[in-house]
Amino acid sequence: MTAEPGTVRSHRRVTPAGRLATAVLAAGLVLAALVVGGAITSQVPDTDRREQSFIRSGGVGSPVDARTFDATVLGVRGGTKINGGGQAHDTSGIWVLARIRLVARAEPTRVGYAVLVDDRARVYRATGRITQLLATGGRILEPGIPVVGEIAFEVPLDAVTRLRLRLAGSQLDQRMDAMTECPLPVDSATLPRWKAQTTPLTLAAPEIAP
């Protein structure tokens, strides 16, 4: 049989071993591509990391910018009971009351998010066992007018000396927004005094500061 003009007939035969080698090579290339792709993906931040809050830190007595308001931690106190709703509420841990100063920046706003975070990344929201206007957005902050008050938290005993207060404007979604953070000045000598404090604490109501 004569080949058609312009064509070249191959005399190479593809053996089973050759087919196997080709398949192995192809599989190796696919595997390598998957490994490289996985390595690249592992270096790309996930959604939670990409959209996490912008933490702005400061010390006690220093104002910290939360974008819509400035927050200053003035002090902290604690005890085993707190007044609320006409009764005293006890706890198996400790009540921590953070005293803060808030100033809205350009327009009326409020604090929608208030938590304590310990060194194990455990989060303690402002207690709902008593009414808290500052922590639940019930107190509107007017621009340039400082408001001072307290926010109460119920925390376990093993976390008291390693707490940071975080505040933000949005109650439901703090992603990609500013959030203040300030360590609370509580040392190992303070906790025994707080544990011995059996007289119920009364939360300081928000008031305009002079």
Side-chain angles (χ1 to χ4, degrees), residues 66 68-71 100 102 109-115 132-141 151 166-171:
T68 58
F69 63 86
D70 289 340
I100 58 175
L102 303 168
T109 189
R110 63 191 73 194
V111 176
Y113 182 77
V115 301
Q132 300 206 75
L133 295 179
L134 279 186
T136 59
R139 176 61 183 256
I140 297 178
L141 307 173
I151 300 179
R166 288 182 176 178
L167 304 173
S170 175
Q171 183 175 13

Side-chain angles (χ1 to χ4, degrees), residues 78-191:
T80 58
K81 296 181 181 180
I82 189 170
N83 286 318
Q87 61 179 315
H89 301 273
D90 58 11
T91 176
S92 59
I94 205 81
W95 290 106
V96 176
L97 280 61
R99 184 170 179 81
I100 58 175
R101 182 179 187 271
L102 303 168
V103 184
R105 297 176 67 84
E107 58 186 27
T109 189
R110 63 191 73 194
V111 176
Y113 182 77
V115 301
L116 293 180
V117 182
D118 67 14
D119 60 351
R120 294 164 57 184
R122 295 180 296 182
V123 177
Y124 311 98
R125 290 183 175 270
T127 184
R129 297 175 65 184
I130 63 173
T131 300
Q132 300 206 75
L133 295 179
L134 279 186
T136 59
R139 176 61 183 256
I140 297 178
L141 307 173
E142 296 294 339
I145 300 178
V147 172
V148 173
E150 290 182 319
I151 300 179
F153 304 85
E154 187 177 6
V155 302
L157 294 173
D158 65 353
V160 176
T161 59
R162 301 178 301 275
L163 294 172
R164 305 184 306 277
L165 174 66
R166 288 182 176 178
L167 304 173
S170 175
Q171 183 175 13
L172 300 177
D173 189 358
Q174 297 82 43
R175 292 177 300 175
M176 301 184 71
D177 200 359
M179 180 182 297
T180 70
E181 178 179 273
C182 179
L184 296 185
V186 184
D187 56 28
S188 57
T190 302
L191 182 56

Side-chain angles (χ1 to χ4, degrees), residues 41-52:
T41 301
S42 67
Q43 299 302 315
V44 177
D46 59 22
T47 300
D48 289 340
R49 290 175 58 192
R50 288 198 309 269
E51 299 183 357
Q52 63 185 342

